[in-house]
Amino acid sequence: MVDTWSHDIKITGRIGGSSILNDGHVTATFYGQGPVEISSRAAEIVCSRGQGPDELQDLFAVCEHPHGLAFVELPFRIKIFGQDNGGYRCRQTVWLEKSRFYTAVSSVLFFRGKWFLAGYFLENFSRKYVYKKVFVKVYDAEGKYIKGLIRRTDHEPDQRHLMDYHLVNGCDRIFFLEEDRLRVTVIQPENLKIEKVVDLEAPEEYRPMPKDFYVFKRYDDPYAGIGRDMDTWRTGYSRILCAAFDRGTLLLQIRVFEKAARFMVLFFKEGSFQPAGRILTNDRLLGVREGRFYFYANGDPRYEERADQCRVKVCTLEN
């Protein structure tokens, strides 16, 4: 550990997407509280929730943009916020070409002039229970739909729209991962083709998802029932919590169930994606940049009792 940042701000929501900015600050989304920018100096809410010009009605995903921070506010609307007199103001709104079917966004990247969105995108369905889905959609800078990637057809309803999906900037490639499996899909950003799909080697501590994990079911009390199940899903198996790429290495943090630690960071070499190391920790990884690892101390504020303080640990690997 080379630095710690501690701030007197109350954070209780689940950690969503997070990224490390060019200036070394951390941007993380906390459900119920919105996006927070954390640095050694302060922890500040970037914008409040609402329908005003400098507010967010909802928040699905966030990424860095050449003009500031881009927030997927609604499934088809992106707001770009830039700094102004020490605070953030909305500078641009991008409307994405709409689909007639269900859309749930989980991750976003602005990469070489294109928007890449990962999530659950229903493209068509029939009364005979044929569900055609796509998990990555690509738009141009103005929001015009270009192409869908990673398609699948299922014949029964599911609840995979509740899953987290990850898009990782791999310098000249984009990596796509689903939270419930150690598998990476490599996307070529120029020709928008799938280069390869690789199943990553799982450690012995990996607890796989049950086969009926996201099978659709009806609840007597939908709000309480699905909330209870989601909390169980997010803490009951080795889901991917954070994905990053740094210095030729793909890094994933998964939840484990050892007495010594709650989480494990896995390292995979770019190209071959062979295992290159692992680290046990009780801290929640927020991202990696230029050899520096940023952890939220003691885990996730929603699920770990000791994570009620806003404290970020900055670490490097020892030789």
Side-chain angles (χ1 to χ4, degrees), residues 41-281:
R41 181 184 58 85
E44 300 174 325
I45 295 177
V46 175
C47 53
S48 59
R49 186 167 183 173
Q51 298 184 21
D54 295 321
E55 297 176 326
L56 294 175
Q57 183 174 336
D58 210 337
L59 178 57
F60 290 87
V62 59
C63 71
E64 198 163 13
H65 185 273
H67 297 151
L69 294 173
F71 299 99
V72 181
E73 180 193 30
L74 298 171
F76 304 107
R77 183 165 71 193
I78 298 175
K79 280 186 174 181
I80 301 172
F81 282 70
Q83 285 193 326
D84 183 15
N85 295 325
Y88 279 92
R89 298 290 183 269
C90 181
R91 292 180 172 176
Q92 181 184 356
T93 298
V94 179
W95 289 94
L96 304 178
E97 188 175 329
K98 287 188 176 182
S99 167
R100 296 188 297 116
F101 301 104
Y102 183 84
T103 294
V105 180
S106 177
S107 182
V108 62
L109 276 181
F110 187 76
F111 192 87
R112 297 184 181 177
K114 301 185 187 76
W115 295 103
F116 291 80
L117 276 69
Y120 181 100
F121 309 102
L122 191 61
E123 287 203 314
N124 204 347
F125 70 93
S126 71
R127 293 182 179 179
K128 296 181 179 180
Y129 294 104
V130 178
Y131 298 88
K132 295 183 179 181
K133 310 162 189 174
V134 65
F135 294 92
V136 175
K137 280 193 170 184
V138 187
Y139 300 81
D140 68 13
E142 286 72 42
K144 183 178 179 181
Y145 180 59
I146 299 175
K147 190 175 183 180
L149 301 170
I150 312 178
R151 282 185 162 81
R152 186 168 69 206
T153 299
D154 290 321
H155 298 276
E156 60 182 358
D158 60 34
Q159 298 187 117
R160 298 185 74 84
H161 61 284
L162 300 172
M163 283 181 52
D164 285 340
Y165 302 88
H166 302 275
L167 288 174
V168 181
N169 183 343
C171 294
D172 61 348
R173 297 289 188 273
I174 291 176
F175 305 135
F176 166 83
L177 299 107
E178 301 168 88
E179 69 165 14
D180 66 327
R181 64 183 66 189
L182 289 179
R183 173 183 293 175
V184 58
T185 300
V186 183
I187 300 171
Q188 295 179 352
E190 298 300 333
N191 58 20
L192 301 180
K193 293 184 178 179
I194 303 301
E195 182 177 305
K196 59 183 175 180
V197 180
V198 180
D199 288 317
L200 305 173
E201 183 177 316
E204 293 181 0
E205 295 86 352
Y206 185 81
R207 182 184 291 181
M209 181 193 81
K211 291 183 179 180
D212 62 349
F213 196 68
Y214 282 106
V215 172
F216 177 79
K217 63 180 179 180
R218 299 186 184 278
Y219 298 92
D220 293 333
D221 184 347
Y223 184 80
I226 201 167
R228 181 178 59 250
D229 275 0
M230 286 181 69
D231 283 348
T232 301
W233 296 344
R234 296 185 188 283
T235 58
Y237 83 105
S238 297
R239 59 187 291 260
I240 297 175
L241 297 158
C242 182
F245 180 82
D246 188 62
R247 298 184 177 184
T249 303
L250 175 67
L251 304 103
L252 308 177
Q253 185 180 53
I254 62 172
R255 187 177 284 274
V256 292
F257 304 90
E258 301 297 304
K259 292 182 179 180
R262 300 187 188 94
F263 310 106
M264 179 182 287
V265 180
L266 306 175
F267 299 74
F268 299 94
K269 297 178 182 177
E270 183 188 16
S272 66
F273 293 105
Q274 291 299 306
R278 62 186 66 172
I279 294 174
L280 285 169
T281 178

